[in-house]
Amino acid sequence: MEKNMYSRPLSLRSMKINDKFWKQEMEVVRKEVIPYQWAALNNQVEGAAPSFCMRNFKVAGKQNKERKEQGKAFIEPKYTFRGFESLPEDPNHPEDKFYGFVFQDSDFSKWIEAVGYSLTQHPDPKLEAIADGAIDIVCAAQQDDGYLDTYYIINGKDKIFTNLKDHHELYCMGHLIEGAVAYYEATGKDKLLKAAARFADYAAAHFGPEEGKCKGYPGHEIAEMALVRLYEVTKEPRYLELSKFFIDERGKRPYYFDKEHPEEVKKGHENDLRYFYNQAHLPVRQQDEAVGHAVRAVYLYSGMADIARLTEDETLYQSCEKLWDSMANEKMYITGGIGGTQIGEAFSYPYDLPNDTAYAETCASIGLVFFARRMLEIKPDAKYANVMERALYNGILSGMALDGKSFFYVNPLEVLPEASHKDERKFHVKPVRQKWFGCACCPPNLARLVSSIGSYTYTEKEDTLFVHLYMGSELTKKVGDKDANVAITSELPWDGNVEIAVEAKDTDFVLALRIPDWCGGNYTVDGIEKDEMSEKDGYLYVKKAWSEKDVLKLHFSMPLLLMEADEKVREDAGKVAVLRGPIVYCLEEVDNGKDLHLLEVNPDGKYEIKDSEICGNPVKVVEMNGFRVVDTAKKDGELYHVYKRKEKEAVELKFVPYYTWANRGENEMMVWVRV
Amino acid sequence: MEKNMYSRPLSLRSMKINDKFWKQEMEVVRKEVIPYQWAALNNQVEGAAPSFCMRNFKVAGKQNKERKEQGKAFIEPKYTFRGFESLPEDPNHPEDKFYGFVFQDSDFSKWIEAVGYSLTQHPDPKLEAIADGAIDIVCAAQQDDGYLDTYYIINGKDKIFTNLKDHHELYCMGHLIEGAVAYYEATGKDKLLKAAARFADYAAAHFGPEEGKCKGYPGHEIAEMALVRLYEVTKEPRYLELSKFFIDERGKRPYYFDKEHPEEVKKGHENDLRYFYNQAHLPVRQQDEAVGHAVRAVYLYSGMADIARLTEDETLYQSCEKLWDSMANEKMYITGGIGGTQIGEAFSYPYDLPNDTAYAETCASIGLVFFARRMLEIKPDAKYANVMERALYNGILSGMALDGKSFFYVNPLEVLPEASHKDERKFHVKPVRQKWFGCACCPPNLARLVSSIGSYTYTEKEDTLFVHLYMGSELTKKVGDKDANVAITSELPWDGNVEIAVEAKDTDFVLALRIPDWCGGNYTVDGIEKDEMSEKDGYLYVKKAWSEKDVLKLHFSMPLLLMEADEKVREDAGKVAVLRGPIVYCLEEVDNGKDLHLLEVNPDGKYEIKDSEICGNPVKVVEMNGFRVVDTAKKDGELYHVYKRKEKEAVELKFVPYYTWANRGENEMMVWVRV
């Protein structure tokens, strides 16, 4: 770790994203997802599982008011945890109780976070007014002592922090903080920020290394990185210390979760295995393999990276690097998806990356981007940005329909609809996107990520602007007491042309430009001299005496790539994936007919890259010579027959961008194709 | 159905099996499995889960005695069903209660059945004395009214027949009957037969079409075929009628299991799906796809075939044929394994035959043999015998270690030990055989099948002897009032030479000899004239004026076969399996090194068939030219890289018989190899 290398994301308020590709996604989120989400939080979506989120806050607020009037400490416990408090027969006439998942509060927090980001790019007084109203409802539920989780406020505060392992209490706090910080940074309004800080103060008084304080930590991580954000906006060390405490405490023996759940205690190795799920099997500084629930894992690793950076913790940073390599080099799908098994929505063993039973949760890839950005902050190495880009354009975008109206939790690389309907082992693999989920994590997570895409595009240190992703945008960066203005236009993801206009006269402004892995080192730069450029760790550093206006023209070569997996990946043996630039391609039945498993790529064949559109969205598709294997020895009604070398019928394969699949109805899809 | 075609198995007492291959298996069962099993039934196996089976009978017998002395109807209910009554802390000082699975009684029944068969081939007064002693213990537990299931006798008879769906009560009755009939047929002793008949009478009084009688049927089938055996030995129509009632009643609306478990009732389609598991989703005469728990399915189909034969039920027979074809043509592994998914130990959808997550339970293949034999009884068509042979030599024998000391439940076609240890989706796939199971179904099932192999080798009608399998044996068949003596010597499974000596002078004796599918119609017969032979449905019918002694010499060509699966079987695309005669071959790591998935068969290469041995057992192995795929483009630490046509290093592949795998330690195994 070299402190002088650290960089931080730019404020979204200092930039305008006007990228052809991403602006369109942001608009879909702004126009479709955010309003839809608000309707969902208020049970106003026909046919979707009611969230009861806002209603839970209202009920908690009402009881809060009554409680104060009656001068009670808290209402009588009615507490009975079922993980999900079943919904009322008639959603229009529910009782004054808590409904939904124990983490239902976080639906609001994710929404307000997305709203905050969106307002930085598209001011919208009407939306802001709705948000302020929602914040009032949420804050009215906060207890005098600062506690703010409606599940316990309504069901009985006596059980607070008694089930950290399963009850997502600190998870809800984490999301509340993230939402509050985002909304504050976007609008300057601090009502929710103060509420979140008071909840964090409550937690900080309860948990900590000091004698008598609880030695627990979150069962579902996120508080770790959220508290760091809260620290960075408030500068209150208490929050940094609490985050560090959670990270230091995790995985210590005896296991905190064993103390909390004596009934579940098992012996030795078996016990460790149980805590793989929560990454609590070992102290984090001893962890070197990504295991367990994938979303929890990358949320934890993100928090670890934050703490490593802020506390100069070399050992912790080394664990982050090992865990990164474990994921990126042994456990990541080519789409940037992570989580090879649906059991525990978790990482499988190294190189176990089944395509048709993949979990590859949208949220996990989003968390991977969080982690990548934080690793970039510590050390600008393109290996992080390459993965970040891969995940963004593929395993994450695939989570949302092109019209923003339906969503995937699970992002498989191969789908046979019949299997999804008939094989319980594949019930988690949906052949078409769903409207909304009772457990609504992926859609709002997508909303908050896409709306804040600029925080992943750029990071900065004193004199340097790091460009990790190329997207059309305008920004201003402070260099000393001067401004450097940068305007970028980009043809990504469809072509490798990028133009960067810089106005940085009389500054020591340094521009650090990522050289994408997919260009194979083939790129050209016009507008600067050789001696003004140097390469390091996959970044092109431009240091020069800037004039009134300098215009750099970059061209990154964007060849069609046939990729293969490490031979240890059994599921991909004898197969290739088609990539171009940041885009992973796939075959769909609608373009190529049934039985995609009988198709083969001809590696020596011709191909064409064509402008096309899918559901009105401009894309480039790939048409490539291939084969359909024909079995001439087959006898009907015979399951097995004597082998005969197959005949190969020449066919044109049509590949479409993976993120666009399943937008044209239910059908077969395949990323890894026989070669 | 043509009644004049019906045939029946020969009595095991009328034959002596002296086959090189099968006699050896029978000896392993006699010397290892049967004594081991008896020890297990009596909790005398170190380190194995105690069965408590015989002890449960003793406790029931003791309480029975007390009850009679106290003149009580039955003992007070202590009934609380947990599926498994947990074992005592100290197995040496347990309470007087029921221990183990609700179907623990059947461990005895399966053992006594195997003992009976074994005694027909190898008289053993010491073993017979032990068996008679065990029968006394079992019969002492029988209630005055004939009821005999220790789970309910000990826990409270008030709950009898109240949970047919899950409690295996009729399953235990079925196994008791099968064991009793086998022991009676072997020894002529009828004590257990009478006890079983009294239990069946009890059931016949409880269940039936008559008003006021219970309309239930077994949750786990077997009683259907067992009652037919009881009918055929006692000629008491009551048992045939009860079996037919169970078959006719299954799947009728409203579902009996819904009446029994109102709490579980779900609506419409979902409800049907639940009863796929028990094949109770539809009346059996409307079923045309093999679904649900595979063992239950084939046990049911066997009973259906019996009833179709005995009641001349054409519709029922047609269902049997459809269900057979559904299995054999769409849902059977090349090893004769059935059950593609571990979820419900069940059939998956057509052509879904994953190799590495297969269930393919040993017992299911055994049940497939039961069904095949019964279909052969109705119509001698080699298609049934071909499957029967395939299952016997492969998917069934693989269930037992060569030394008879350990067993597989699950018989996968591809195993990576790391996956079995680390991937919960493959925990059911064991890389090495287990000593014994708490739920001991497969080992005793193997024991009873192997000991009675002769019942599957031959069936007969008035003047005809059907030879379905070729194994060394001597037998006598009645033809009218004369005897026909037949002596067979066979070199199967390693060579296709069979010699059949017939002494049938002055009889109308007809010999029907199966022409195995694997010879591809290439065979020669010496010792008879052309006009004495005719072919039908895969059988060679020999009809002639027999002399003092005729000797037929058959030679079935036994080429090495590279087989491929129907292209709809995605898991086998681009792969072949190596077969020779009835034997399916596989690759093992111990012979071919790690990463079997990188090996390829060279379909144009040379091969040699060599005499060899595995753990002292003579076998033929196959050495074949092949390749090991070498990736020269791979970069260490990179999960994905640009495709480069692979180099292929020539290697000698060594294939060993599938049934011998995992006898040389834990290692990778693979049946379907890339080509």
Side-chain angles (χ1 to χ4, degrees):
Chain A
M1 302 174 82
E2 300 167 48
K3 188 157 193 184
N4 64 356
M5 290 179 73
Y6 293 177
S7 66
R8 302 304 328 283
L10 267 72
S11 158
L12 291 172
R13 290 206 284 186
S14 69
M15 70 180 79
K16 281 276 163 251
I17 304 291
N18 51 35
D19 186 67
K20 279 200 229 75
F21 187 90
W22 284 103
K23 185 64 183 178
Q24 142 82 1
E25 297 294 337
M26 291 165 88
E27 285 297 284
V28 165
V29 166
R30 184 178 71 80
K31 293 180 181 162
E32 292 295 335
V33 184
I34 289 176
Y36 186 92
Q37 208 176 333
W38 176 242
L41 295 185
N42 291 280
N43 301 357
Q44 288 156 1
V45 177
E46 267 310 314
S51 152
F52 277 90
C53 173
M54 292 313 296
R55 190 175 184 290
N56 288 336
F57 280 111
K58 288 178 192 158
V59 169
K62 180 160 165 270
Q63 294 183 350
N64 206 10
K65 192 156 160 294
E66 291 164 3
R67 188 179 51 72
K68 286 179 184 167
E69 285 159 6
Q70 299 163 26
K72 287 190 194 159
F74 55 79
I75 59 146
E76 289 62 36
K78 309 200 205 88
Y79 175 89
T80 52
F81 177 63
R82 291 185 299 279
F84 181 82
E85 299 295 324
S86 52
L87 304 177
E89 288 302 314
D90 175 0
N92 304 319
H93 302 88
E95 296 170 59
D96 274 358
K97 66 189 282 288
F98 180 95
Y99 292 108
F101 286 98
V102 66
F103 47 79
Q104 215 68 23
D105 286 7
S106 63
D107 285 7
F108 158 78
S109 305
K110 292 167 183 169
W111 176 76
I112 200 74
E113 185 177 350
V115 168
Y117 299 138
S118 178
L119 291 174
T120 65
Q121 300 301 302
H122 186 98
D124 179 342
K126 197 153 151 293
L127 176 60
E128 193 167 332
I130 294 171
D132 292 335
I135 289 168
D136 292 338
I137 293 168
V138 168
C139 292
Q142 186 162 40
Q143 307 291 289
D144 305 343
D145 56 16
Y147 186 79
L148 183 43
D149 180 320
T150 67
Y151 181 81
Y152 287 97
I153 292 172
I154 295 173
N155 285 321
K157 278 182 69 188
D158 59 324
K159 292 290 194 305
I160 282 173
F161 297 141
T162 55
N163 189 353
L164 298 177
K165 177 163 153 289
D166 307 315
H167 274 202
H168 292 67
E169 216 170 348
L170 292 167
Y171 169 87
C172 288
M173 181 186 81
H175 268 299
L176 181 67
I177 292 169
E178 296 248 3
V181 171
Y183 196 72
Y184 167 74
E185 289 182 332
T187 62
K189 296 178 180 171
D190 66 359
K191 180 171 183 175
L192 189 63
L193 182 69
K194 284 188 171 143
R198 285 180 57 216
F199 191 8
D201 293 336
Y202 182 95
H206 185 87
F207 298 96
E210 300 81 3
E211 202 181 332
K213 282 190 171 182
C214 175
K215 298 293 177 282
Y217 42 86
H220 192 313
E221 302 91 330
I222 193 180
E224 298 82 351
M225 60 174 150
L227 285 161
V228 167
R229 282 187 79 177
L230 185 58
Y231 160 73
E232 301 199 289
V233 68
T234 63
K235 299 284 172 285
E236 170 51 63
R238 197 185 304 125
Y239 307 133
L240 180 62
E241 285 153 18
L242 181 56
S243 170
K244 184 173 183 306
F245 169 77
F246 285 150
I247 287 189
D248 294 345
E249 205 60 28
R250 178 169 296 271
K252 280 192 188 166
R253 308 289 184 103
Y255 293 115
Y256 178 78
F257 294 150
D258 282 351
K259 296 184 221 160
E260 195 178 61
H261 297 274
E263 76 286 359
E264 286 180 16
V265 175
K266 296 185 192 161
K267 293 266 166 292
H269 183 59
E270 201 185 338
N271 208 10
D272 302 344
L273 287 179
R274 289 165 57 225
Y275 295 135
F276 271 48
Y277 178 76
N278 313 81
Q279 300 76 42
H281 55 297
L282 277 176
V284 297
R285 288 171 185 76
Q286 294 169 36
Q287 295 188 26
D288 56 9
E289 183 184 352
V291 298
H293 188 270
V295 174
R296 295 176 197 232
V298 283
Y299 282 13
L300 168 66
Y301 306 156
S302 300
M304 285 164 63
D306 281 335
I307 293 297
R309 173 175 54 84
L310 286 164
T311 66
E312 299 286 293
D313 186 329
E314 187 61 41
T315 324
L316 188 58
Y317 176 62
Q318 280 163 11
S319 293
C320 291
E321 281 189 305
K322 286 182 194 147
L323 290 164
W324 175 272
D325 291 341
S326 164
M327 278 194 295
N329 303 342
E330 299 182 344
K331 299 192 175 192
M332 187 182 78
Y333 288 96
I334 198 162
T335 53
I338 50 173
T341 174
Q342 75 276 22
I343 298 176
E345 308 179 328
F347 289 104
S348 188
Y349 59 92
Y351 304 103
D352 184 40
L353 294 164
N355 296 308
D356 59 345
T357 57
Y359 202 75
E361 185 178 343
T362 308
C363 291
S365 293
I366 290 170
L368 179 61
V369 168
F370 297 161
F371 184 32
R373 209 277 314 281
R374 282 159 174 82
M375 293 302 278
L376 282 169
E377 291 178 35
I378 298 173
K379 181 167 184 283
D381 185 324
K383 78 177 185 180
Y384 303 113
N386 289 330
V387 165
M388 189 164 77
E389 185 183 61
R390 186 73 67 77
L392 280 168
Y393 282 96
N394 303 288
I396 291 171
L397 269 193
S398 60
M400 180 166 69
L402 293 168
D403 64 7
K405 291 180 170 158
S406 57
F407 305 88
F408 277 137
Y409 237 93
V410 167
N411 298 277
L413 279 75
E414 181 174 332
V415 170
L416 174 68
E418 180 180 25
S420 299
H421 296 309
K422 296 181 177 175
D423 182 354
E424 204 169 329
R425 294 167 297 186
K426 294 177 185 163
F427 280 180
H428 64 288
V429 175
K430 303 298 176 202
V432 288
R433 294 176 182 80
Q434 322 267 287
K435 265 199 100 175
W436 192 259
F437 310 100
C439 170
C441 69
C442 297
N445 234 347
L446 260 162
R448 67 185 186 128
L449 179 77
V450 170
S451 317
S452 61
I453 193 77
S455 324
Y456 304 90
T457 311
Y458 305 105
T459 60
E460 65 175 338
K461 62 189 178 85
E462 313 80 80
D463 60 353
T464 309
L465 178 73
F466 292 94
V467 182
H468 303 298
L469 304 169
Y470 294 100
M471 62 182 71
S473 46
E474 293 172 2
L475 65 89
T476 301
K477 164 173 171 44
K478 281 255 162 273
V479 185
D481 57 359
K482 295 214 178 65
D483 284 350
N485 296 313
V486 177
I488 294 187
T489 61
S490 157
E491 292 176 20
L492 259 64
W494 311 119
D495 281 301
N497 301 317
V498 175
E499 192 172 295
I500 306 179
V502 179
E503 296 170 4
K505 199 169 191 305
D506 306 329
T507 70
D508 303 329
F509 180 60
V510 178
L511 198 54
L513 305 167
R514 166 176 157 255
I515 304 159
D517 52 351
W518 43 259
C519 79
N522 302 315
Y523 66 96
T524 58
V525 195
D526 297 346
I528 42 173
E529 306 303 324
K530 275 253 164 304
D531 63 1
E532 296 171 328
M533 302 186 279
S534 62
E535 266 192 41
K536 190 183 178 211
D537 298 330
Y539 283 77
L540 179 72
Y541 289 79
V542 181
K543 200 171 192 324
K544 62 171 286 181
W546 302 93
S547 59
E548 283 300 333
K549 180 168 186 175
D550 299 86
V551 176
L552 283 62
K553 287 193 160 68
L554 293 153
H555 174 71
F556 299 110
S557 145
M558 196 181 273
L560 189 78
L561 299 174
L562 290 190
M563 301 295 286
E564 63 187 333
D566 184 291
E567 61 190 9
K568 297 192 208 70
V569 183
R570 292 176 177 239
E571 305 279 341
D572 299 340
K575 297 178 177 179
V576 290
V578 174
L579 275 67
R580 185 171 174 274
I583 299 291
V584 175
Y585 282 82
C586 69
L587 295 174
E588 272 193 289
E589 180 183 345
V590 63
D591 301 313
N592 300 281
K594 280 201 168 303
D595 295 329
L596 297 179
H597 69 289
L598 299 179
L599 298 177
E600 281 189 10
V601 163
N602 175 358
D604 309 318
K606 294 200 175 51
Y607 64 83
E608 260 187 294
I609 292 144
K610 290 189 173 172
D611 286 303
S612 181
E613 58 82 29
I614 290 178
C615 307
N617 297 256
V619 298
K620 280 200 196 301
V621 299
V622 179
E623 289 180 4
M624 189 187 289
N625 295 168
F627 304 106
R628 179 172 284 272
V629 168
V630 181
D631 183 353
T632 54
K634 170 180 196 313
K635 300 200 194 93
D636 269 340
E638 278 193 16
L639 189 46
Y640 304 102
H641 60 270
V642 172
Y643 169 77
K644 181 171 167 230
R645 194 178 289 275
K646 297 273 178 300
E647 289 179 13
K648 293 184 177 187
E649 171 192 305
V651 295
E652 278 298 288
L653 303 176
K654 182 177 174 184
F655 289 86
V656 299
Y658 172 76
Y659 75 89
T660 68
W661 92 275
N663 277 278
R664 295 172 292 167
E666 176 175 301
N667 76 158
E668 284 184 46
M669 181 278 291
M670 183 173 280
V671 170
W672 287 99
V673 183
R674 289 163 67 184
V675 65
Chain B
M1 300 175 81
E2 300 167 47
K3 189 158 191 180
N4 65 357
M5 290 181 71
Y6 294 175
S7 66
R8 302 305 327 284
L10 267 72
S11 158
L12 291 172
R13 290 205 285 186
S14 69
M15 70 179 80
K16 278 277 163 255
I17 304 292
N18 50 34
D19 187 65
K20 277 199 231 75
F21 187 89
W22 284 103
K23 185 65 183 178
Q24 143 82 0
E25 297 294 337
M26 292 164 88
E27 284 298 283
V28 165
V29 166
R30 185 178 70 81
K31 293 179 181 162
E32 291 296 335
V33 185
I34 290 176
Y36 185 93
Q37 207 176 333
W38 175 243
L41 296 185
N42 290 279
N43 301 358
Q44 288 157 359
V45 177
E46 267 311 312
S51 153
F52 278 90
C53 174
M54 292 313 295
R55 191 176 184 288
N56 289 335
F57 280 111
K58 288 176 192 158
V59 169
K62 179 160 165 270
Q63 294 184 350
N64 207 11
K65 192 156 160 293
E66 290 164 5
R67 189 179 51 69
K68 286 178 183 167
E69 286 159 6
Q70 298 163 26
K72 288 191 194 159
F74 54 81
I75 58 142
E76 289 62 35
K78 310 198 205 87
Y79 176 87
T80 52
F81 177 64
R82 292 185 297 279
F84 181 81
E85 298 295 324
S86 52
L87 303 178
E89 287 304 314
D90 176 359
N92 304 319
H93 302 88
E95 296 170 57
D96 274 358
K97 66 189 284 285
F98 181 94
Y99 293 107
F101 286 99
V102 66
F103 46 80
Q104 215 68 26
D105 286 7
S106 63
D107 284 7
F108 158 78
S109 305
K110 292 167 184 168
W111 175 78
I112 200 74
E113 185 177 351
V115 168
Y117 298 138
S118 179
L119 291 174
T120 65
Q121 299 301 302
H122 186 97
D124 179 342
K126 198 155 150 291
L127 176 60
E128 193 168 330
I130 293 171
D132 291 336
I135 288 169
D136 293 338
I137 292 168
V138 168
C139 292
Q142 186 162 40
Q143 307 291 288
D144 305 344
D145 56 16
Y147 186 80
L148 183 44
D149 180 321
T150 68
Y151 182 81
Y152 286 97
I153 292 172
I154 295 172
N155 285 322
K157 279 181 68 187
D158 60 323
K159 291 291 194 305
I160 282 174
F161 297 140
T162 55
N163 189 353
L164 299 176
K165 177 162 153 290
D166 307 315
H167 274 202
H168 292 66
E169 216 170 348
L170 292 167
Y171 169 86
C172 288
M173 181 186 80
H175 267 299
L176 181 67
I177 292 168
E178 296 248 3
V181 170
Y183 196 74
Y184 167 74
E185 290 181 332
T187 62
K189 297 178 179 170
D190 66 0
K191 179 171 183 176
L192 189 63
L193 182 68
K194 285 190 170 142
R198 285 179 58 217
F199 191 8
D201 293 336
Y202 182 97
H206 184 87
F207 297 96
E210 299 82 2
E211 201 181 333
K213 281 190 171 182
C214 175
K215 299 295 177 281
Y217 42 86
H220 191 315
E221 302 91 332
I222 193 178
E224 298 82 351
M225 61 174 149
L227 285 162
V228 167
R229 281 188 79 175
L230 185 59
Y231 160 74
E232 300 198 292
V233 67
T234 62
K235 299 281 173 287
E236 170 51 62
R238 196 185 306 125
Y239 307 133
L240 180 63
E241 284 153 19
L242 181 56
S243 171
K244 184 174 182 306
F245 169 77
F246 284 149
I247 299 240
D248 293 345
E249 206 59 30
R250 178 169 297 270
K252 280 192 188 166
R253 309 289 185 98
Y255 293 115
Y256 177 79
F257 294 150
D258 282 352
K259 295 185 220 160
E260 194 178 63
H261 297 273
E263 75 286 358
E264 284 182 18
V265 175
K266 296 185 191 160
K267 293 265 167 293
H269 183 59
E270 201 185 339
N271 209 9
D272 302 343
L273 286 180
R274 288 166 57 224
Y275 295 135
F276 269 50
Y277 177 76
N278 311 82
Q279 300 77 43
H281 55 297
L282 277 176
V284 296
R285 288 171 185 76
Q286 294 168 37
Q287 295 188 28
D288 56 10
E289 183 183 352
V291 298
H293 187 270
V295 175
R296 297 177 196 230
V298 282
Y299 281 14
L300 168 66
Y301 306 156
S302 300
M304 286 165 63
D306 282 334
I307 294 297
R309 172 175 55 83
L310 286 165
T311 65
E312 299 285 294
D313 187 329
E314 186 62 39
T315 324
L316 188 58
Y317 177 60
Q318 280 163 11
S319 292
C320 291
E321 281 188 307
K322 286 182 194 146
L323 290 164
W324 175 273
D325 291 342
S326 163
M327 277 194 296
N329 303 342
E330 299 182 344
K331 299 192 175 191
M332 186 182 79
Y333 288 96
I334 197 161
T335 53
I338 50 174
T341 174
Q342 74 277 23
I343 299 176
E345 307 178 329
F347 289 105
S348 188
Y349 59 92
Y351 305 102
D352 184 39
L353 294 164
N355 296 308
D356 59 345
T357 57
Y359 202 74
E361 186 179 341
T362 308
C363 291
S365 293
I366 290 171
L368 179 61
V369 168
F370 296 162
F371 183 32
R373 210 276 315 279
R374 284 159 173 80
M375 292 303 277
L376 282 170
E377 291 178 35
I378 298 173
K379 181 168 185 284
D381 184 325
K383 77 177 185 179
Y384 302 114
N386 289 331
V387 165
M388 189 164 77
E389 185 183 61
R390 186 73 65 80
L392 280 168
Y393 281 95
N394 302 287
I396 291 172
L397 270 194
S398 60
M400 180 166 68
L402 293 168
D403 64 6
K405 292 180 169 156
S406 57
F407 305 89
F408 277 138
Y409 238 94
V410 167
N411 297 277
L413 279 74
E414 181 173 331
V415 170
L416 175 67
E418 180 180 26
S420 299
H421 296 308
K422 296 181 177 176
D423 182 354
E424 205 169 328
R425 294 167 297 186
K426 294 177 185 164
F427 280 0
H428 64 288
V429 175
K430 304 297 177 203
V432 286
R433 295 176 180 79
Q434 322 268 289
K435 266 200 100 175
W436 192 258
F437 310 100
C439 170
C441 68
C442 297
N445 235 346
L446 261 163
R448 68 184 184 128
L449 179 77
V450 170
S451 316
S452 61
I453 193 77
S455 326
Y456 303 91
T457 312
Y458 306 104
T459 60
E460 64 175 340
K461 61 190 180 86
E462 313 81 81
D463 60 352
T464 311
L465 177 72
F466 292 94
V467 181
H468 304 298
L469 303 169
Y470 293 99
M471 82 185 52
S473 47
E474 293 172 2
L475 64 88
T476 302
K477 167 176 171 39
K478 282 252 161 276
V479 185
D481 56 1
K482 295 213 179 63
D483 283 351
N485 296 311
V486 177
I488 294 186
T489 61
S490 156
E491 292 177 17
L492 260 64
W494 310 118
D495 281 301
N497 302 317
V498 176
E499 191 173 295
I500 305 178
V502 179
E503 297 169 3
K505 197 167 190 308
D506 307 328
T507 71
D508 303 330
F509 180 61
V510 178
L511 199 53
L513 306 167
R514 166 175 157 255
I515 304 159
D517 53 351
W518 43 260
C519 79
N522 302 316
Y523 66 95
T524 57
V525 196
D526 297 346
I528 40 173
E529 305 305 322
K530 277 253 162 305
D531 62 1
E532 296 170 328
M533 303 186 279
S534 62
E535 266 192 42
K536 188 180 181 221
D537 298 330
Y539 283 78
L540 179 71
Y541 289 79
V542 180
K543 198 170 193 324
K544 63 172 286 182
W546 301 93
S547 58
E548 282 302 333
K549 180 167 185 177
D550 299 85
V551 176
L552 282 62
K553 287 193 160 67
L554 293 151
H555 175 71
F556 299 110
S557 143
M558 196 181 274
L560 190 79
L561 299 174
L562 290 189
M563 301 295 287
E564 62 187 334
D566 184 290
E567 62 189 9
K568 296 192 209 69
V569 182
R570 291 176 178 238
E571 304 279 340
D572 299 340
K575 297 179 177 179
V576 290
V578 173
L579 276 67
R580 184 172 174 273
I583 298 291
V584 175
Y585 281 83
C586 69
L587 294 174
E588 271 193 290
E589 180 183 345
V590 63
D591 302 311
N592 299 281
K594 281 203 167 301
D595 295 330
L596 298 178
H597 68 288
L598 297 179
L599 298 177
E600 282 188 10
V601 163
N602 175 358
D604 309 318
K606 295 198 173 54
Y607 64 83
E608 260 187 293
I609 292 143
K610 291 189 173 171
D611 286 303
S612 180
E613 59 83 29
I614 291 178
C615 305
N617 297 258
V619 298
K620 280 198 195 306
V621 299
V622 179
E623 288 180 5
M624 189 188 289
N625 293 166
F627 305 106
R628 178 171 285 271
V629 168
V630 181
D631 183 353
T632 54
K634 169 178 197 313
K635 300 199 195 92
D636 269 339
E638 276 193 17
L639 189 46
Y640 303 103
H641 60 270
V642 172
Y643 168 77
K644 182 172 167 230
R645 195 179 288 276
K646 297 274 179 299
E647 290 179 11
K648 292 183 178 187
E649 171 191 303
V651 294
E652 277 297 289
L653 304 176
K654 181 177 174 184
F655 289 86
V656 298
Y658 172 76
Y659 76 89
T660 68
W661 93 273
N663 277 278
R664 295 172 293 167
E666 174 175 303
N667 74 159
E668 286 184 43
M669 182 278 290
M670 183 174 278
V671 169
W672 288 99
V673 183
R674 289 163 67 184
V675 65

